[in-house]
Amino acid sequence: MAEHMDPEEFRRAGHAVVDWIADYWATLDQRPVASTEPPGSLAAALPAGPSAHGEPVEAVLADLGSLVAPRLTHWQHPGFFGYFPANTSGPSVLGDLVSSGLGVQGMLWATSPACTELETVMMDWLAGLLDLPQRFRSTGAGGGVIQDSASSATLVATLAALHRAGGGRWREAGIDRRYRVYASTEGHSSIEKAARIAGLGRDGVRTVDVDPETLAMRPDALRAAIRADVAAGDVPAIVVATIGTTSTTAVDPLSDIGAICAEHGVWLHVDAAYAGAAAVCPELRWSHVGLEYADSYCFDPHKWLLTGFDCDAFWVADRRELVEALTVLPEYLRNAATEAGAVVDYRDWQVPLGRRFRALKLWFVLRWYGVEGLRAHIRGHVALADRFAARVRADDRFVLAAPHPFSLVCFRLAAGDEASAELLSRVNATGRVLLTHTRVAGRYTLRLAIGSPLTTREHVDGAWELLAETAGTVLTGLQ
């Protein structure tokens, strides 16, 4: 029977694992971005069950290289331009390693004080880095917490908003009131999912029209929707505005939306999952104008700020409201520090009870890169997106489909949907790049999202050259 690893065995195995990861990163550009294996191929290659007496780490790493890695979509690949990035970095991986090694459970301050306190400080560091309003800092009534994703942040914000709108009684039996959630037609699917989980039903979300040019929420349409619902006896509970929508990175007008929310006493949650990272650069903070109206705000360092998944930064302006909505305190969790009210217990700021030490990887990243290193990372990708968009604009076979304020470029072939879809299929089939698609004004549109720390000008130029060359073949075939 295999025994527990002693420290020296762990040290040797750990070196081997780090070497494997370093070699993986060093050879990523030699691999196809995505696997072409059919469904079930890995499952068929694995044994029916584990060995009776265990195996050495070397055997596991060998199978990791020969069986698992070839069947991955490589999100850290320099040619990965799909979805939004989910990038990581060396410091982040090291921070996660330390977190795993410590193995602490941070549900309460009392269960590991440093886990809670480092997270509080890191959230204040991030708030300062993005120049968020003072109301989100832990030194006042607000504060921040790390959620697993922006989806969870939206759910938590929705629950807190419903608690406020219903005076703490929104789920009590016998209270027959319909609560409403508002988001633009470009809002993320997690908004509807949060409303469903909260028990508001499939029609709990009222979608608001967007401006046809900017694709941002129309304040006049929001105001009309809220007034109509109030007249019908419904309760407007929360508006979810977006900084950087998933399809096109449109930016909703926070100042106008915030004023409407303030007028009607509606909670404003701002989802900046991808584009919030841009605010580390002062010249990109225009996207956050009006954030002072927000009751809650989130962005994902795990998308564009070099911190591995999962790490969503979520702030509230009044932490008391959040805790009141979510707290449940059984006897077995009672302790002197909590009873005294002198500490933060992050279990009350999220849906799960348990918490990993996520703040460590954020601490490693912020200390390794520093403010200027993070700004250089963001600025470099914005410049690469501008460079790519200029190439698209200069080729009359292509059309830019939406503004590109950050590092996502949406474009299509002027020849139409069939040609654009065929172009995407062919370039992805090469294994050199991976792009995704959306629809803008009903038209099939390609998305090229730059985010990997390994992506350089050469990779972006290579993607354009591949697209331009393949477009010629596609268009010829359609003639």
Side-chain angles (χ1 to χ4, degrees):
M1 182 181 72
E3 298 179 352
H4 297 304
M5 278 187 181
D6 63 34
E8 286 307 313
E9 288 173 323
F10 175 76
R11 192 188 313 276
R12 289 192 294 271
H15 282 304
V17 170
V18 170
D19 283 344
W20 189 96
I21 295 171
D23 290 342
Y24 170 75
W25 286 346
T27 58
L28 264 176
D29 61 354
Q30 302 167 29
R31 303 169 184 258
V33 183
S35 171
T36 57
E37 295 276 353
S41 61
L42 176 60
L46 294 173
S51 63
H53 302 290
E55 300 175 77
V57 168
E58 290 76 13
V60 179
L61 290 178
D63 285 349
L64 181 63
S66 64
L67 300 180
V68 177
R71 294 175 170 90
L72 290 174
T73 296
H74 301 289
W75 283 67
Q76 309 308 314
H77 195 289
F80 182 91
F81 301 114
Y83 308 102
F84 281 135
N87 58 32
T88 190
S89 63
S92 176
V93 172
L94 295 176
D96 252 340
L97 176 62
V98 175
S99 176
S100 296
L102 293 175
V104 301
Q105 220 280 33
M107 57 187 176
L108 301 166
W109 178 89
T111 61
S112 207
C115 181
T116 294
E117 293 185 19
L118 184 64
E119 184 162 335
T120 300
V121 173
M122 288 304 98
M123 295 303 292
D124 281 344
W125 277 18
L126 268 183
L129 187 63
L130 273 62
D131 195 29
L132 299 185
Q134 284 294 324
R135 63 202 308 245
F136 292 130
R137 315 298 172 92
S138 68
T139 50
V145 61
I146 300 175
Q147 303 281 354
D148 56 7
S149 66
S151 298
S152 291
T154 298
L155 172 59
V156 168
T158 300
L159 296 173
L162 290 166
H163 185 80
R164 178 205 278 179
R169 305 177 61 202
W170 66 280
R171 297 192 86 165
E172 290 185 14
I175 299 178
D176 186 20
R177 305 178 74 188
R178 182 165 64 175
Y179 294 88
R180 288 288 199 178
V181 176
Y182 305 83
S184 87
T185 54
E186 296 290 312
H188 195 268
S189 61
S190 61
I191 301 167
E192 179 182 346
K193 190 171 186 177
R196 291 193 191 185
I197 293 171
L200 303 186
R202 297 187 64 177
D203 63 347
V205 177
R206 173 73 79 100
T207 55
V208 180
D209 288 341
V210 298
D211 181 277
E213 296 298 324
T214 65
L215 302 176
M217 184 190 293
R218 286 174 42 207
D220 62 320
L222 173 64
R223 180 180 283 107
I226 290 176
R227 286 178 175 172
D229 286 338
V230 171
D234 296 340
V235 181
I238 181 172
V239 174
V240 181
T242 308
I243 298 174
T245 56
T246 302
S247 281
T248 66
T249 62
V251 177
D252 290 337
L254 299 186
S255 294
D256 293 339
I257 293 170
I260 295 168
C261 290
E263 176 186 345
H264 292 277
V266 180
W267 185 291
L268 174 59
H269 174 61
V270 176
D271 176 4
Y274 154 73
V280 303
C281 301
E283 70 273 16
L284 295 174
R285 290 177 186 156
W286 58 266
S287 60
H288 285 57
V289 171
L291 190 58
E292 65 274 7
Y293 284 103
D295 295 283
S296 56
Y297 166 89
C298 76
F299 91 101
D300 291 340
H302 69 233
K303 279 193 169 71
W304 199 16
L305 208 64
L306 299 163
T307 306
F309 188 85
D310 54 349
C311 185
D312 170 82
F314 173 69
W315 288 268
V316 288
D318 185 349
R319 57 182 177 267
R320 175 186 53 82
E321 292 185 303
L322 181 62
V323 171
E324 284 181 359
L326 298 181
T327 188
V328 177
L329 184 60
E331 183 62 33
Y332 52 79
L333 292 180
R334 292 185 180 275
N335 63 87
T338 296
E339 297 288 343
V343 299
V344 170
D345 288 331
Y346 278 130
R347 70 179 185 89
D348 296 326
W349 296 48
Q350 61 176 27
V351 173
L353 172 63
R355 310 197 81 248
R356 295 190 298 109
F357 200 167
R358 295 188 188 96
L360 273 174
K361 59 187 172 187
L362 200 52
W363 191 43
F364 271 57
V365 167
L366 294 178
R367 293 188 66 179
W368 173 268
Y369 287 100
V371 173
E372 293 305 321
L374 295 172
R375 286 175 178 169
H377 170 69
I378 298 295
R379 285 169 176 153
H381 287 166
V382 172
L384 288 176
D386 286 343
R387 179 181 176 86
F388 180 86
R391 307 288 288 275
V392 174
R393 193 180 296 110
D395 190 324
D396 60 10
R397 298 173 300 171
F398 289 86
V399 176
L400 284 173
H404 52 93
F406 306 111
S407 68
L408 171 73
V409 181
C410 294
F411 62 101
R412 56 183 170 81
L413 282 173
D417 289 0
E418 181 183 354
S420 296
E422 181 64 18
L423 174 62
L424 179 65
S425 176
R426 291 194 187 189
V427 297
N428 283 349
T430 67
R432 293 166 54 188
V433 299
L434 178 67
L435 282 69
T436 54
H437 84 280
T438 187
R439 286 190 178 270
V440 178
R443 302 294 300 275
Y444 192 98
T445 300
L446 281 68
R447 299 171 71 259
L448 181 136
I450 301 168
S452 170
L454 299 177
T455 300
T456 66
R457 176 185 291 188
E458 288 70 29
H459 296 108
V460 174
D461 287 350
W464 167 252
E465 289 161 7
L466 175 61
L467 284 158
E469 178 183 345
T470 308
T473 304
V474 169
L475 295 174
T476 298
L478 292 176
Q479 291 175 353

